[in-house]
């Protein structure tokens, strides 16, 4: 992560206190490059990214572009499978059997 772009530390705050901590939220807001000329009321439709997230996204895109089909066939399937194991734990849900997008498609029964 870039220097100075870490999420502010949460210390001795309950969720209720953190929700009203204006200084903490100002630090979070500083991670986003947004135009203040307009107030966006679109419920996150466009999906603004904090600078650390944008940096990781750009790095991942550069990796995919540099690796091209070799990345897609060799490196991506293990990444996909790792995601299938990790995400359910993050969201506290039951994992589904995940197929790599590189796997041959299944035939549907009629």
């Amino acid at each position: 992560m870039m220097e100075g772009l870490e999420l502010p530390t949460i210390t001795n705050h309950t969720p209720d206190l953190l929700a009203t901590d204006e200084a903490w939220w100002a630090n979070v807001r500083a991670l986003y490059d947004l135009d203040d000329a307009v107030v966006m009321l679109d419920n996150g439709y466009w999906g603004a990214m904090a600078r650390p997230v944008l940096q990781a996204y750009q790095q991942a895109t550069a990796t995919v572009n540099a690796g091209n089909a070799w990345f897609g066939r060799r490196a991506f399937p293990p990444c996909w499978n790792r995601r299938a194991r990790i995400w359910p734990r993050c969201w506290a849900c039951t994992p589904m059997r995940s197929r790599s997008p590189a796997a041959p498609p299944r035939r549907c029964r009629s």
Side-chain angles (χ1 to χ4, degrees):
M1 204 177 296
M2 293 173 57
E3 186 67 30
L5 293 181
E6 293 82 19
L7 190 62
T9 304
I10 300 171
T11 56
N12 301 324
H13 277 72
T14 64
D16 289 338
L17 287 174
L18 185 60
T20 59
D21 185 341
E22 295 296 329
W24 191 84
W25 286 107
N27 289 328
V28 171
R29 166 61 181 88
L31 296 174
Y32 291 82
D33 295 320
L34 297 174
D35 184 353
D36 289 338
V38 175
V39 175
M40 303 294 179
L41 299 176
D42 59 3
N43 198 24
Y45 174 76
W46 190 257
M49 292 182 237
R51 274 181 255 119
V53 175
L54 178 61
Q55 179 188 24
Y57 174 81
Q58 289 170 330
Q59 180 59 49
T61 300
T63 299
V64 170
N65 284 338
N68 208 330
W70 183 253
F71 174 84
R73 292 193 174 109
R74 302 289 298 189
F76 182 71
C79 293
W80 178 265
N81 292 333
R82 188 169 49 251
R83 177 241 13 122
R85 288 189 307 272
I86 293 171
W87 283 7
R89 283 182 275 158
C90 294
W91 297 100
C93 60
T94 305
M96 292 176 41
R97 180 165 155 67
S98 178
R99 291 178 50 86
S100 166
R106 293 183 179 157
R107 293 190 181 264
C108 298
R109 294 182 183 178
S110 24

